[in-house]
């Protein structure tokens, strides 16, 4: 028998080709590099917000894999960094960046001997072009796409985004909903947008997908939620009660909100065994997958130990019925 596989389904990387493109086209996506402290890597700032330190593991493929192997991870589902979704940039620049990013990740996955699987990024500000890029990327072996929890202010259920959802549904794609930083002006204390705003953005996006009825229309999309699903799993009872109380909620849905919980997969990134046990009990062990958010500052290494059933179901691997 082969060695056991340890998965990590929430990790980020920037291929060297993409870094080169950013250097050449910084103005097109409003990118800049800042030296903030001696002895640390530069910070990358895109669109004037959400700066992050470009640690070597973000941009050096061998180092990334060595560091994952060091904590026991043998197969990583790699995603583009959310700062490079660039939904507010001109669509042509976003499409060029996405195509290069996806080409590079597909090539890395082919060369990595099973250690790397990958998700695409798409220019969601132009949904038809996003659908085409998703189809192209999955044709190269990528498993789906990572998208933000909104697109420059448009909720993911916005009718303008239907071409993307139609393509994702037709392909049975994994769609990883990853939050961008909340811009709520009340989140002013240091790091509150990260600590509170990030899970809140996922909660709003996932609740909107449920309440809009979009999940009834697109039954084949496999939705992965970051950071344990935000606050959604733990306040689902309130949505259920609202469904019972208010006809306007019932009119939009084919079934009660609690029955949609199993339309989602959830990563294990909660940093609390009690919270993770609660999530597994609510969603089921085949809907919770290991994730680290490596190499960002708030990464969990190694990922919390959860079973492989969720991984195999999400990725259509042998031994994991959908």
């Amino acid at each position: 028998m082969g060695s056991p596989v340890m998965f990590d389904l929430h990790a980020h990387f920037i291929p060297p080709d993409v870094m080169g493109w950013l250097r050449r086209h910084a103005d097109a996506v409003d990118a800049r590099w800042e030296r903030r402290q001696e002895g640390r890597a530069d910070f990358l700032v895109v669109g004037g917000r959400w700066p992050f330190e470009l640690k070597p593991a973000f941009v050096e493929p061998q180092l990334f894999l060595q560091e994952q192997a060091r904590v026991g991870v043998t197969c990583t589902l790699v995603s583009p960094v959310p700062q490079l979704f660039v939904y507010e940039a001109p669509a042509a620049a976003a499409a060029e960046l996405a195509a290069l990013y996806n080409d590079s990740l597909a090539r890395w996955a082919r060369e990595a001997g099973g250690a790397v699987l990958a998700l695409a990024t798409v220019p969601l500000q132009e949904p038809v072009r996003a659908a085409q890029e998703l189809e192209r990327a999955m044709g190269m072996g990528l498993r789906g796409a990572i998208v933000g929890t909104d697109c420059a202010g448009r909720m993911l259920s916005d009718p303008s985004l239907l071409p993307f959802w139609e393509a994702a549904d037709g392909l049975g794609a994994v769609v990883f909903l990853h939050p961008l930083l909340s811009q709520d002006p009340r989140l002013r204390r240091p790091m509150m947008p990260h600590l509170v705003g990030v899970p809140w953005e996922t909660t709003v996006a996932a609740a909107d997908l449920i309440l809009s009825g979009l999940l009834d229309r697109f039954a084949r999309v496999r939705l992965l939620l970051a950071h344990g699903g935000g606050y959604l799993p733990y306040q689902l009872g309130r949505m259920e009660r609202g469904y019972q109380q208010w006809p306007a909620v019932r009119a939009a849905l084919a079934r009660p909100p609690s029955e949609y919980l199993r339309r989602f997969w959830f990563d294990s990134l909660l940093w609390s065994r009690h919270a993770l046990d609660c999530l597994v009990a609510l969603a089921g062990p085949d809907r919770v997958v290991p994730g680290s958010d490596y190499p960002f500052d708030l990464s969990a290494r190694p990922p919390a130990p959860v079973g492989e059933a969720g991984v195999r179901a999400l990725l259509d691997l042998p031994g994991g019925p959908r």
Side-chain angles (χ1 to χ4, degrees):
M1 295 181 63
S3 301
V5 179
M6 180 187 286
F7 291 95
D8 181 354
L9 269 56
H10 183 173
H12 302 279
F13 188 75
I14 309 174
D17 288 351
V18 172
M19 289 301 302
W21 188 96
L22 287 173
R23 296 281 186 186
R24 296 190 303 274
H25 302 278
D27 289 345
V29 294
D30 190 16
R32 68 178 188 271
W33 287 257
E34 297 180 354
R35 175 54 57 90
R36 297 194 169 190
Q37 184 177 330
E38 288 301 321
R40 296 182 66 175
D42 288 348
F43 279 66
L44 178 60
V45 185
V46 181
R49 58 183 182 271
W50 204 358
F52 70 105
E53 184 181 1
L54 277 171
K55 303 170 185 175
F58 269 118
V59 296
E60 297 180 15
Q62 286 304 117
L63 177 62
F64 179 97
L65 292 177
Q66 289 167 4
E67 288 298 298
Q68 287 289 74
R70 187 174 61 82
V71 298
V73 172
T74 56
C75 183
T76 304
L77 180 65
V78 175
S79 296
V81 298
Q83 287 88 339
L84 295 181
F85 295 162
V86 295
Y87 294 152
E88 295 176 352
E96 184 177 332
L97 174 58
L100 177 64
Y101 216 138
N102 299 336
D103 288 345
S104 297
L105 289 180
R107 183 168 57 250
W108 190 27
R110 290 193 300 269
E111 295 170 352
V116 171
L117 305 173
L119 294 176
T121 182
V122 297
L124 204 57
Q125 62 267 63
E126 278 204 3
V128 171
R129 189 177 281 186
Q132 294 168 344
E133 181 59 25
L134 176 65
E135 292 170 357
R136 192 185 74 87
M138 292 187 68
M140 296 188 294
L142 276 66
R143 301 304 179 106
I146 182 172
V147 300
T149 44
D150 70 271
C151 179
R154 283 183 288 175
M155 297 302 293
L156 295 178
S157 65
D158 191 287
S160 67
L161 300 181
L162 287 178
F164 169 77
W165 288 113
E166 289 167 354
D169 190 65
L171 293 162
V174 175
V175 177
F176 182 14
L177 270 60
H178 193 292
L180 303 169
L181 276 191
S182 175
Q183 299 186 69
D184 189 320
R186 296 172 297 173
L187 303 182
R188 294 177 178 172
R189 295 191 182 277
M191 308 314 290
M192 275 189 75
H194 295 266
L195 295 171
V196 176
V198 161
W200 169 243
E201 291 296 322
T202 298
T203 305
V204 172
D208 176 67
L209 291 181
I210 293 172
L211 296 173
S212 69
L214 185 139
L215 298 185
D216 293 315
R217 183 170 179 179
F218 300 115
R220 296 187 65 239
V221 176
R222 288 170 282 163
L223 292 158
L224 172 61
L225 300 183
H227 313 114
Y231 309 120
L232 174 72
Y234 322 102
Q235 286 294 333
L236 196 66
R238 184 174 178 85
M239 291 178 64
E240 194 80 356
R241 181 65 182 124
Y243 175 86
Q244 296 165 4
Q245 183 68 33
W246 291 320
V249 178
R250 292 195 297 276
L253 301 180
R255 55 187 65 86
S258 61
E259 295 188 24
Y260 292 92
L261 196 66
R262 286 188 58 79
R263 284 298 313 278
F264 299 104
W265 280 260
F266 304 83
D267 75 17
S268 61
L269 203 57
L270 288 165
W271 297 280
S272 164
R273 188 71 231 185
H274 295 299
L276 184 58
D277 289 345
C278 177
L279 177 61
V280 171
L282 285 167
D286 63 335
R287 284 297 184 271
V288 182
V289 299
S292 70
D293 213 359
Y294 182 70
F296 281 109
D297 288 348
L298 293 189
S299 62
R301 321 241 356 274
V306 293
E308 287 188 17
V311 176
R312 298 190 178 280
L314 177 64
L315 298 180
D316 265 346
L317 300 177
R322 290 270 297 277

